Amino acid sequence: MRQLVVVDPEKCNLSLACIRTCPTKAIKIEETHATIVPGRCIGCGHCVMVCSQNAISYRDEKQIVKDFLASGSKVAIICDPSISGEFVDITDHRKFVAMIRGLGFNYVLEMAFGIDLLAFRYRDLLHNFHGKYYIHTVCPPVAAYVEKFEPELVENLARMVPPYVVMAKVVREYYGDDLKLVYATACVAAKDDARMHKDDGRIDGVLTFIELRELFKEFKITENNVEYSEFDPPIGRKGGLYPIRRGMLQAVDINQELLSGDIISANGQFDFKESLSEFKSQTGLKQHLDLFYCEGCVMGPGMSPGGKKFMRRSEVIKYVNKRLKGLDLVNWHEQIEQFKDLDVSRTFKAQDRRLPMPPDSEIRRVLHEMGKSKAEDQLGCGACGYPSCREFAIAYCQGLTNYEMCYSYSINKLHTFINKVNATNEKLKKTKEALKDSEEKARAGEMAALEAAEVTTIMLDKINAGVVVVDENLKIMESNHVFVEMLGEDAQTINDTIPGLKGAELSALVPFHRLFASVLQSGQDMLNRDTPFGNSIFNVSVFTIKKHKAVGGIIRDLTSPNVRREEVINRARTVIRENLETVQQIAFLLGESASKTEKILSSIIDAQKLGTDTTSSEEKTDS
Ligand code: SF4
Ligand code: SF4
């Protein structure tokens, strides 16, 4: 079965209203939402009432009840007297009873008779005073609170079952044990409490009045479509006053004890705790306590939201007075007599759920970390859900909250963060400006490089010799149009698609690519190497541009008429110069010079011859 009270993490917006209202520190803050610690929750349902996001809900038992009604079993419902404060919109209580019967219930009973019975037992307890003071409560959350958070006081709890259990016993004796019993109430805690009572006191399902209204709506039952119907017996007397303050005491006219000061009656979630701690103190109250958790059940969490406390109280009193007028007192006495020996006893068990108190040094450390070492920094604004900064620090040590829940801590952190963001923004701004500057410079550099490349290309094209630059893989990086033309038509076709033959393999284009490979490898320039190319002889000079990475070559076609003339002159000059030098050298060098001269002259003759042949064949073709 689902835990009684749960938080929907999707809806929780950490408003912390629930923490403020929870009497037992049963709500813990996870990273993004609140969560209920089941062992500490006493099911008071007040967190459900204060959550503006409707993020907290209690267990819905409508389906359980609908299943009973559809099962064919006899089903009875016991109505908490707060019903008169809840259904003020229904003109007559008999209409209300009829509407419940319309849902399919076989018996509709008031809890007031059970309260009457219990009130007599309570009066007996007070009248048989033997020096022990009692804490009397009909509220499941108060009993659970004492068991879990004031376990030393368990012995003082008056050992009586709550009135709905008394009534369950009465109903079973009256109508038989084969009934399914449902309790309609303003109390959320009764949903869990009911499960603890077994045998003839057991309750099979608990509906809040809110759930009961939802069932009316679902089955389209209104007071307009039902006829009057009365509650089934036994009928109660002043037990109907139970939902208001001191109602239980008034049920058996024990006001004199109140006046004489033997009983302190406290209600409301803060007063009941306060009265318990005073009851426990050394000096002690030396009085009985009569405790209600809420401001009377008329303000319980199972009532429709928005109801006015005093209006509801007055409705309850009006209703009881009306019922008293028609009450068959003789019959009531007979029935009280019939059930006077009903066993209403129960036991309570200490189940200490108090959290260990952290050492003072630890609390101070937390306050210091939160920037609240000094008393004046401890604002105690309550925004965190705890009444003081110290209480917050204790809750932090107990693992119930985290620093971010403290507004002043978060605001300080936010300020630090904002300052950091501002500083970062400033840095970013400067970096952006610097980037813009470098971008402009880079763009200018790029333009300059582009211009330089264009100039280089133009200059290369002005050179009356083939020029080619290759990378370490002998791929062409740059070449001029003379080089392309020297290679013939195929190269020119490629050049039309890839200007400058960029990326082409040099080895696929010229047979003297090894010269380039050799210079790339050695780093030594090779100048003026004559090499045949088709019918031509090329003069190739290869030199390093970037060692082992890029080399350039200047290629001249020695068979071209222009080059030929120039080459003849150059080489004749070389011969004359070398011959002059030779004349000046000693005799043994004469032989070497003569042989070199012979070689050079032969090469010139070959070049001349080839040029002449080419020219004459071209001339022939032209003619
Ligand atoms: S139901 Fe009551 S005890 Fe439980 S978490 Fe909510 S406020 Fe706390
Ligand atoms: S006052 Fe009534 S509704 Fe509130 S906790 Fe007690 S029994 Fe439940």
Side-chain angles (χ1 to χ4, degrees):
M1 180 158 285
R2 201 198 90 165
Q3 185 181 314
L4 180 58
V5 180
V6 291
V7 179
D8 180 346
E10 298 297 318
K11 289 185 182 170
C12 175
N13 69 353
L14 286 178
S15 70
L16 308 182
C18 53
I19 293 208
R20 244 163 266 141
T21 201
C22 181
T24 61
K25 287 189 174 176
I27 300 175
K28 184 178 166 188
I29 298 301
E30 301 287 4
E31 215 160 279
T32 56
H33 61 275
T35 182
I36 311 284
V37 185
R40 298 180 58 78
C41 174
I42 56 172
C44 71
H46 280 234
C47 52
V48 180
M49 291 201 286
V50 298
C51 179
S52 59
Q53 304 302 305
N54 290 328
I56 310 182
S57 63
Y58 54 78
R59 188 173 59 238
D60 187 327
E61 296 191 12
K62 289 200 297 285
Q63 192 53 50
I64 296 175
V65 173
K66 282 195 274 182
D67 289 347
F68 292 155
L69 294 171
S71 69
S73 309
K74 286 194 172 161
V75 191
I77 186 166
I78 297 168
C79 299
D80 181 323
S82 323
I83 202 161
S84 50
E86 166 68 27
F87 289 93
V88 287
D89 50 330
I90 294 175
T91 48
D92 191 295
H93 77 273
R94 290 169 299 171
K95 282 290 181 91
F96 167 75
V97 174
M99 285 166 73
I100 295 183
R101 287 195 203 282
L103 288 172
F105 286 95
N106 304 89
Y107 305 107
V108 183
L109 299 118
E110 280 183 299
M111 191 172 77
F113 183 77
I115 300 162
D116 290 340
L117 271 177
L118 200 61
F120 282 114
R121 304 300 175 87
Y122 185 32
R123 191 181 63 182
D124 293 347
L125 182 81
L126 298 177
H127 286 172
N128 290 314
F129 179 65
H130 296 293
K132 180 174 177 180
Y133 291 99
Y134 283 97
I135 300 164
H136 178 257
T137 183
V138 289
C139 285
V142 175
Y145 183 86
V146 173
E147 286 183 319
K148 292 179 177 181
F149 302 101
E150 298 285 4
E152 299 83 2
L153 299 180
V154 162
E155 280 304 309
N156 296 81
L157 282 169
R159 296 181 184 182
M160 293 178 198
V161 290
Y164 67 87
V165 177
V166 177
M167 198 60 197
K169 288 169 182 266
V170 169
V171 173
R172 285 216 159 79
E173 203 166 314
Y174 219 92
Y175 295 100
D177 196 37
D178 58 338
L179 285 169
K180 289 288 179 199
L181 254 181
V182 175
Y183 175 38
T185 176
C187 187
V188 165
K191 283 178 181 266
D192 263 2
D193 185 67
R195 298 183 179 276
M196 296 194 293
H197 304 282
K198 309 287 178 203
D199 305 323
D200 59 341
R202 74 186 183 280
I203 293 284
D204 303 296
V206 177
L207 291 177
T208 61
F209 291 140
I210 296 171
E211 288 168 289
L212 194 56
R213 275 190 187 275
E214 286 166 358
L215 283 179
F216 288 151
K217 198 169 171 196
E218 185 181 335
F219 290 95
K220 298 188 174 46
I221 298 174
T222 67
E223 66 168 317
N224 295 332
N225 52 28
V226 293
E227 291 181 352
Y228 293 131
S229 176
E230 252 311 343
F231 280 111
D232 292 301
I235 304 294
R237 198 179 67 125
K238 287 190 187 171
L241 292 170
Y242 153 95
I244 60 172
R245 193 168 178 231
R246 296 176 184 167
M248 183 87 173
L249 303 171
Q250 291 180 47
V252 278
D253 303 316
I254 47 178
N255 283 338
Q256 62 272 31
E257 278 82 357
L258 285 168
L259 293 173
S260 63
D262 284 343
I263 301 173
I264 287 190
S265 180
N267 60 5
Q269 58 175 153
F270 300 110
D271 277 4
F272 98 85
K273 275 173 78 176
E274 183 62 28
S275 64
L276 283 173
S277 71
E278 286 187 33
F279 186 89
K280 198 172 68 170
S281 70
Q282 287 289 322
T283 47
L285 282 175
K286 307 275 186 292
Q287 282 162 312
H288 300 293
L289 289 183
D290 183 62
L291 304 180
F292 262 102
Y293 186 86
C294 306
E295 300 275 344
C297 292
V298 281
M299 298 310 287
M303 302 283 282
S304 296
K308 302 271 183 292
K309 180 165 72 177
F310 295 104
M311 186 76 84
R312 282 178 173 173
R313 279 184 184 179
S314 109
E315 287 298 327
V316 169
I317 293 166
K318 258 196 315 200
Y319 169 74
V320 172
N321 282 330
K322 184 179 159 197
R323 302 280 289 142
L324 282 175
K325 279 181 194 147
L327 182 71
D328 179 346
L329 214 53
V330 176
N331 182 260
W332 177 79
H333 276 295
E334 280 171 11
Q335 292 192 319
I336 289 287
E337 189 59 23
Q338 183 188 341
F339 290 101
K340 75 174 182 350
D341 294 326
L342 194 77
D343 180 12
V344 297
S345 67
R346 68 169 295 179
T347 54
F348 293 99
K349 201 166 102 203
Q351 313 165 36
D352 198 347
R353 291 284 195 281
R354 287 172 293 191
L355 291 167
M357 189 64 161
D360 207 52
S361 57
E362 191 58 8
I363 299 169
R364 272 189 273 112
R365 180 190 65 78
V366 171
L367 285 169
H368 176 72
E369 276 184 18
M370 290 168 63
K372 292 175 178 294
S373 304
K374 293 187 221 138
E376 60 264 32
D377 295 329
Q378 295 177 21
L379 308 173
C381 64
C384 58
Y386 295 92
S388 67
C389 297
R390 188 180 161 80
E391 284 295 324
F392 177 84
I394 292 170
Y396 176 85
C397 296
Q398 291 168 334
L400 295 173
T401 188
N402 55 52
Y403 288 161
E404 279 68 33
M405 295 304 112
C406 168
Y407 276 12
S408 67
Y409 172 86
S410 296
I411 286 169
N412 284 340
K413 216 171 149 198
L414 206 64
H415 277 309
T416 315
F417 177 71
I418 288 169
N419 289 342
K420 272 190 191 157
V421 168
N422 284 343
T424 312
N425 278 348
E426 197 53 40
K427 268 189 202 161
L428 265 176
K429 198 174 148 198
K430 283 185 183 153
T431 313
K432 211 170 153 190
E433 281 167 7
L435 259 176
K436 202 173 156 199
D437 199 37
S438 355
E439 245 174 51
E440 274 165 14
K441 279 184 185 155
R443 212 171 295 129
E446 213 175 281
M447 290 297 291
L450 218 60
E451 276 169 25
E454 275 170 18
V455 170
T456 308
T457 309
I458 293 166
M459 281 175 69
L460 281 179
D461 283 342
K462 296 280 178 206
I463 295 173
N464 196 17
V467 178
V468 63
V469 180
V470 294
D471 66 13
E472 57 200 330
N473 299 314
L474 290 184
K475 288 206 166 144
I476 295 176
M477 296 164 72
E478 191 67 71
S479 69
N480 68 354
H481 76 97
V482 178
F483 176 71
V484 176
E485 281 162 14
M486 286 167 84
L487 300 188
E489 275 181 18
D490 287 349
Q492 283 168 25
T493 310
I494 297 170
N495 187 61
D496 290 343
T497 319
I498 311 166
L501 302 176
K502 282 177 189 154
E505 303 268 358
L506 186 68
S507 57
L509 297 170
V510 295
F512 47 84
H513 56 88
R514 284 196 186 81
L515 294 177
F516 288 76
S518 167
V519 174
L520 267 170
Q521 197 182 8
S522 67
Q524 298 291 318
D525 296 350
M526 283 189 187
L527 303 176
N528 290 321
R529 296 297 171 99
D530 292 341
T531 173
F533 183 82
N535 292 330
S536 305
I537 292 179
F538 286 176
N539 177 268
V540 182
S541 293
V542 185
F543 51 88
T544 296
I545 295 173
K546 194 170 179 191
K547 206 166 182 183
H548 307 309
K549 294 283 178 198
V551 294
I554 297 175
I555 300 111
R556 288 181 303 156
D557 183 355
L558 295 179
T559 54
S560 141
N562 290 342
V563 175
R564 208 160 55 217
R565 227 171 288 125
E566 187 191 328
E567 189 63 18
V568 169
I569 293 163
N570 280 345
R571 294 197 181 191
R573 276 187 188 142
T574 307
V575 170
I576 292 163
R577 195 183 66 244
E578 284 185 358
N579 279 338
L580 280 173
E581 283 168 7
T582 306
V583 171
Q584 290 162 2
Q585 286 175 2
I586 54 174
F588 74 91
L589 291 174
L590 275 171
E592 187 189 23
S593 176
S595 126
K596 200 168 183 179
T597 308
E598 190 185 338
K599 266 191 202 163
I600 293 167
L601 287 174
S602 304
S603 122
I604 295 168
I605 289 160
D606 285 348
Q608 285 283 37
K609 198 174 156 220
L610 269 168
T612 315
D613 290 350
T614 316
T615 317
S616 52
S617 65
E618 278 167 2
E619 280 165 0
K620 271 182 206 159
T621 317
D622 289 346
S623 65

